[in-house]
Amino acid sequence: MSLLGELLNTLFERRYPRTGRGAGGGDDRSLPALAADILGTKGEVSGLALAGEVLSKYNTLEDDRKLEFFTYLTTRMNIDAQAVRDRLDEYEENPNEETYRAYAAAAEPPRQELIRRLNRLPNGTNALVRMRADLLRLSERESALQALDLDFLHLFSSWFNRGFLVKRPITWETPAHVLEKIIAYESVHSIDSWNELRRRLAPEDRRCFAFFHPSMSDEPLIFVEVALTQGIPTSIQSLLAEDRAAIDAADANTATFYSISSCQAGLAGISFGNSLIKQVAADLMAEHPGLETFVTLSPIPRLAQWLEAQDIALDSSDPERTRRLAAHYLTAAKSATGLPYDPVARFHLGNGAAIHAVHAGADTSENGLRTSGGAMVNYHYDLGQVEQNHERYAATGEIRVSAEVRSLASEVGGPV
Amino acid sequence: MSLLGELLNTLFERRYPRTGRGAGGGDDRSLPALAADILGTKGEVSGLALAGEVLSKYNTLEDDRKLEFFTYLTTRMNIDAQAVRDRLDEYEENPNEETYRAYAAAAEPPRQELIRRLNRLPNGTNALVRMRADLLRLSERESALQALDLDFLHLFSSWFNRGFLVKRPITWETPAHVLEKIIAYESVHSIDSWNELRRRLAPEDRRCFAFFHPSMSDEPLIFVEVALTQGIPTSIQSLLAEDRAAIDAADANTATFYSISSCQAGLAGISFGNSLIKQVAADLMAEHPGLETFVTLSPIPRLAQWLEAQDIALDSSDPERTRRLAAHYLTAAKSATGLPYDPVARFHLGNGAAIHAVHAGADTSENGLRTSGGAMVNYHYDLGQVEQNHERYAATGEIRVSAEVRSLASEVGGPV
Amino acid sequence: MSLLGELLNTLFERRYPRTGRGAGGGDDRSLPALAADILGTKGEVSGLALAGEVLSKYNTLEDDRKLEFFTYLTTRMNIDAQAVRDRLDEYEENPNEETYRAYAAAAEPPRQELIRRLNRLPNGTNALVRMRADLLRLSERESALQALDLDFLHLFSSWFNRGFLVKRPITWETPAHVLEKIIAYESVHSIDSWNELRRRLAPEDRRCFAFFHPSMSDEPLIFVEVALTQGIPTSIQSLLAEDRAAIDAADANTATFYSISSCQAGLAGISFGNSLIKQVAADLMAEHPGLETFVTLSPIPRLAQWLEAQDIALDSSDPERTRRLAAHYLTAAKSATGLPYDPVARFHLGNGAAIHAVHAGADTSENGLRTSGGAMVNYHYDLGQVEQNHERYAATGEIRVSAEVRSLASEVGGPV
Amino acid sequence: MSLLGELLNTLFERRYPRTGRGAGGGDDRSLPALAADILGTKGEVSGLALAGEVLSKYNTLEDDRKLEFFTYLTTRMNIDAQAVRDRLDEYEENPNEETYRAYAAAAEPPRQELIRRLNRLPNGTNALVRMRADLLRLSERESALQALDLDFLHLFSSWFNRGFLVKRPITWETPAHVLEKIIAYESVHSIDSWNELRRRLAPEDRRCFAFFHPSMSDEPLIFVEVALTQGIPTSIQSLLAEDRAAIDAADANTATFYSISSCQAGLAGISFGNSLIKQVAADLMAEHPGLETFVTLSPIPRLAQWLEAQDIALDSSDPERTRRLAAHYLTAAKSATGLPYDPVARFHLGNGAAIHAVHAGADTSENGLRTSGGAMVNYHYDLGQVEQNHERYAATGEIRVSAEVRSLASEVGGPV
């Protein structure tokens, strides 16, 4: 390949980086040295070439070296506090375009600009999301890295804002390379085979939707699986039974969100789920005017653990007691911050949903029995109420609970 | 329409805002009050609803009121210098996640977050680009608004980074609603009719490419028109003649960029042209291996004006003198900052192109004769040299000039 | 280009034939000789190459030569009557696979197989449609050619059957190379500019739909233009006024088909209009439940001519008389075969529509005044009645007329 | 659902027939009676409704009843020999449009028009292809049905002509509902899992292409699987090994067609394979200029059977003898018609390929060992020779054999 060809390839190829193609081979400076050079360069082409080198080299690193790189970004590409003060003084004294520009440049750590430059590469966004996934995994050991993580989060919030996301249906007509990611990312009720996947996508009474970002068009960010049902379902095994008969979508009165999975570890802390559920609910309602009720059928993943801490054992052979304990837990168990102890409850209640009903024998899988004695819960998305519920929850932590669940919970008095 | 319907519409409709549909009618608070509320709200839905109100109201404002709104953002949503200092002190003393988060929040003016929130709306990006176009138009009168413009520029640079843009060919098979924008935005050699547009798009030896942003998919950001030619053209009227015969693309050895137009006033200062020309050149070279030369046929828009300031008149009936003067001007005329005086020269030389040849009688349109005595210039994009040229230009201001043009320019000695 | 390259090009290129590229140059046998060879060849590749030669040569012919070619097909590629009788005898005597195959081959003129072979070429379908357009144009002089035309019609009916057609909306977002054909093919109310085209496509209360064949995907076969209105319109000039205000599609109660144009002269006699109108009506009703009425606003193109033959002059300044005469003409004027004299009436009544209302001053264009004294008519597509109407019309020629029009018509008694 | 709704549904729904939705329930006449009515009706809508009834009813029939229906079409919708003769006489006496039309109508059995009417339905084409698959399956018992089959074949040849087909790549990005059909239809080397499918589609050195018909856009008609290799492969197990390393497509010099499968039993006798292989070869050559050789790696499915009939046993432990026997068989074994005995040989030699090399131990699967003692063969598609080879084969039955294989075959003299 000619020099020119190399140059053009570096600049313009759609897929970055090519496996095994001179990754990291073009420039033997260290990663920090290359990173620093990116910020120094004025040429767009040479800037992109350097950015390509940085991501290539990064991808070949062991964890220890990645950690070194993150530490470099945290410490050496941090703000210069004195410079911030000086520029701020100058701006206050003489607020004009020049002083504001100088202040703004100083107030932001240069690693933010580095991340933005890396994002200019084709496939750069995806590479950065994976880089942050590394950071989150490795920074458990290094709290000093949290400032870097906040910078990632700041930029990702801007790049993955709702206005840039695209909602797409996932169906049995979706390309296989996307479907295999649905299989891989499903984190609530695992999908064991392509046949199982088809059972969740192909029948007329099943739906699935995902958010995508245009710059990562093959990578779902989050997806939700929906069953159109007559009435509110009370068992995940029935809902997913191999031999069940599908109903006509026009005959359904209820949309049940039975699984919602975030796909990108590197996007932790960016909330898409709220938007996705509400938009899917709105779209379904427009398409199927017969739908009256929007609920989840959700796991209660920490029920057994929380009860155990209080020396209470679940007994799946006693459904009434299981329901009472589940109702009690969901309404009473709080974390140190006063929010619901259960993470799934926190998500849906935070979205403005209400606790609607609890069911025993609802998840008889090994995992369901172990974590919640088989109990599951319906959260209710009453579209006319969610916003109000959400605001009240955000302001006061108050949660909405149906009379039935509240009554069940109240039966747990004194020792259980 | 039901309350719920209204709510859902506000939230989720793809096209925002609907003309004449209660624009600004839902909430009679002032625009600044609404804007401030957006930042205070915790609910995503209510935040979006408020954002929708802000953009609706904004669109109904007269210029004076827009200016008031910009002034509000500049002054009342500015940084709080004392808070920056305090948070910075706390961070320096005790650098951890909390103190860094607090510092970062204080260091950035709240209007940036407001702009990010507005961008979450469907079509929000487009609305913000138009808002900045207003700002640029109006802020000529109010230099204090430049800080706000820098914030827009900062966010737009991040959102319109090269990695998010999509290059698409513009052909006679492109949807008409995009083509009518090409007609409207062409700013170098105007397109007077759909027939003229077809002559620039349909023949086998013509190409056009544009950059788009996924969130503004109907709006070209910048586009370039290309003629595939045998040899370097010397006259725009010949190049665009109605009755010319198209050549087979496979027989062309030269790609001539004869027009490049930025489409969005609100994206001024964000440079796409450099990337677009280089990517188009690379793609054309890959598709047509016979292409050896990449040049422009460019106007010299300030030639007459600059000469006039020196009491030199152009005389289009004297082609040799016109060429000498054009060569002299392009190589010698500098602005106060030492850069080329001519804006088109600044753009192409800044990209790393070289001044290749000047032609008299090259643009015999009324505008061409008036502004440059009919002279035009070819800038040469030698893909093996552009990066090096660009770096040298950026570092030292040195420009590349062909021997022929240098010789022509040197003939202008003493009084001309 | 290598021999192999030539071969492959001949075989596989998508666009056939390339203009001016050795068309007809590869083989100097006569067109009939080549055509006969196609039927003799067993090789698919050589058969395609010959077919390509035939179409290339054909496209270079003057009309006289085309006529010679058609005559050759009619006379020399006709059935062999004696062979038909012999094969039929053999089949009757001994009906088996072999004898049936032999009979079927003999019973069909070989020119049908020739046409099928030509259709295997890329773009062959389009070329054959244009060939039949030539035939129809030229065969007015040669009635002997009608047998050939019947063969074309037989094959086209099979290839352009309703199941193969695709209905597509035509909007302002449709590619320009299709839109320019809409402008060219509009045959009822001409479209004089792209601005006029936009006024018919872009407003929220306007629709246009066309049928396409997958093998001629850039060529509309027939299209219909629709206005969504409140009430039944009575004037084409009001309907198409430049300065009219569009209404919200959801507020419309009537869909008015105001123009329907067949695009391909070579497909004359293949009826698409019936299907298109009914499918568009059904789709619009599904999309806009508020639509209650489906009507046309149609010209009466032979009104003046027919009246003139009876020494009756139209007077556009007397609207009541004009309406009476129009009602009389539409209900009473018959052709020799007993069908309505008016071709537009024949089309819509044949589809099962009813004559609903006539209007004076409804088309004040020069053409409208000249051909019908400004009168127009609404045909009513009552979807619950069209099939029954159609069957009755087909069986007995009976037409449906509203009481109002019938009453108007009855006022024309004795001399008018 | 309203009467109107029913009507519209019957007419216009895209997918026909809906399972279990009143199939056959609307009209209790017999299938033959309905079929006869279709030909009698003049209304398009009622014709379509009847056609829908016919296909619905047909789909509910047991095989015996289907056979009755086919017999009805064969006997009662056959030509009327006397009418053919009469119309032919009239045409000969007085050849004009009317007499030709009458002759053409009489010469063709009415069942052909019935099939064309059924084809107007949405999804009609697919239903007819499945109907012919039934016919082929059932007509083995009833040779009288072959005339009906010839009519199907006649119409399908016209509808599935090369000009109407669309070649599409099948990749790992193809929608899953198409990919599951690739798994189902692969008939040479079966695909046991989605992982195996991915190994055949996703690697950079694998390709797959299929022909589709626009009216059956989800149904591949035929597909071919290709491996890009360095040199000509000699073992299918090596070619498909799970752990093999993919090569860069640009480094391949050979394209190996290792599997070609027809998908639609109802399209038997319509040859697509020839076109598909040649078009894929041409396209690959254009895309990858490094490709020099196009070969197959093909089974020899009747080798063991043919040898056994001559009391010769294969011994896979003797590779040299196996190769000699395979070479002998491929060059010498002929069917009664003088064509190659081996069906795969017949296909490729008929396409114009040459026998290039034979390999022992090339297919060590249970099936490969049983049917051919593990032997396989490369057929060579020399694009500069295929047409000539094909013509010679069609004219004289002569086949092309490499010197090496000819020499191997010649070693089998006398008793083997």
Side-chain angles (χ1 to χ4, degrees), chain B residues 81-249:
Chain B
Q82 193 50 48
V84 179
R85 282 194 196 88
D86 293 348
R87 296 297 89 71
L88 184 58
D89 291 346
E90 289 159 17
Y91 171 64
E92 263 201 308
E93 229 163 88
N94 185 13
N96 63 28
E97 186 181 1
E98 281 316 298
T99 54
Y100 183 70
R101 189 198 308 271
Y103 160 72
E108 189 188 85
R111 60 188 174 241
Q112 282 198 21
E113 181 63 15
L114 176 71
I115 296 172
R116 279 192 289 263
R117 298 280 179 99
L118 295 177
N119 194 40
R120 290 182 192 168
L121 283 171
N123 233 21
T125 310
N126 201 353
L128 290 167
V129 169
R130 283 184 278 119
M131 189 184 285
R132 183 173 174 241
D134 288 343
L135 174 63
L136 289 171
R137 183 169 51 84
L138 299 171
S139 68
E140 293 180 20
R141 294 183 273 164
E142 296 280 342
S143 72
L145 298 176
Q146 283 168 334
L148 172 60
D149 185 55
L150 286 173
D151 290 328
F152 268 113
L153 193 62
H154 178 72
L155 292 170
F156 285 1
S157 298
S158 186
W159 292 338
F160 289 89
N161 79 79
R162 178 63 195 87
F164 284 179
L165 301 188
V166 178
K167 190 196 70 159
R168 282 200 243 149
I170 302 291
T171 74
W172 189 238
E173 305 195 7
T174 295
H177 73 298
V178 172
L179 291 184
E180 70 180 340
K181 288 171 183 161
I182 297 295
I183 293 178
Y185 293 142
E186 160 68 53
S187 59
V188 185
H189 305 290
S190 69
I191 301 175
D192 297 326
S193 68
W194 285 80
N195 281 338
E196 169 64 16
L197 178 68
R198 180 167 43 185
R199 280 196 296 274
R200 298 202 192 176
L201 300 180
E204 207 194 342
D205 58 354
R206 295 297 151 101
R207 297 289 184 280
C208 180
F209 299 92
F211 272 147
F212 290 83
H213 189 277
S215 289
M216 296 168 60
S217 58
D218 297 341
E219 280 285 344
L221 306 181
I222 188 172
F223 64 91
V224 62
E225 296 165 70
V226 189
L228 305 183
T229 55
Q230 286 167 327
I232 296 177
T234 62
S235 155
I236 189 70
Q237 275 78 27
S238 304
L239 202 71
L240 298 181
E242 281 194 34
D243 56 354
R244 71 181 195 86
I247 64 169
D248 192 320

Side-chain angles (χ1 to χ4, degrees), chain D residues 31-78:
Chain D
L31 195 48
L34 288 168
D37 269 15
I38 290 178
L39 297 182
T41 189
K42 290 187 169 175
E44 184 190 352
V45 172
S46 44
L48 281 175
L50 282 168
E53 282 295 326
V54 165
L55 289 184
S56 284
K57 268 207 159 59
Y58 176 83
N59 282 329
T60 65
L61 297 184
E62 304 292 323
D63 280 355
D64 281 357
R65 295 287 170 168
K66 287 181 176 175
L67 210 47
E68 274 178 33
F69 178 57
F70 295 145
T71 304
Y72 172 85
L73 295 180
T74 307
T75 55
R76 307 287 294 279
M77 286 201 169
N78 199 1

Side-chain angles (χ1 to χ4, degrees), chain A residues 21 172-173 180 198 248, chain D residues 21 172-173 175 180 198 248:
Chain A
R21 273 272 171 103
W172 187 237
E173 305 194 7
E180 71 179 340
R198 180 167 42 185
D248 191 319
Chain D
R21 272 273 171 104
W172 189 237
E173 305 194 8
E180 71 179 341
R198 180 167 42 184
D248 192 319

Side-chain angles (χ1 to χ4, degrees), chain B residues 378-394:
Chain B
N378 302 123
Y379 297 101
H380 181 206
Y381 280 80
D382 179 341
L383 295 180
Q385 295 284 332
V386 285
E387 189 59 9
Q388 192 175 320
N389 293 349
H390 162 78
E391 298 271 2
R392 188 180 297 137
Y393 175 89

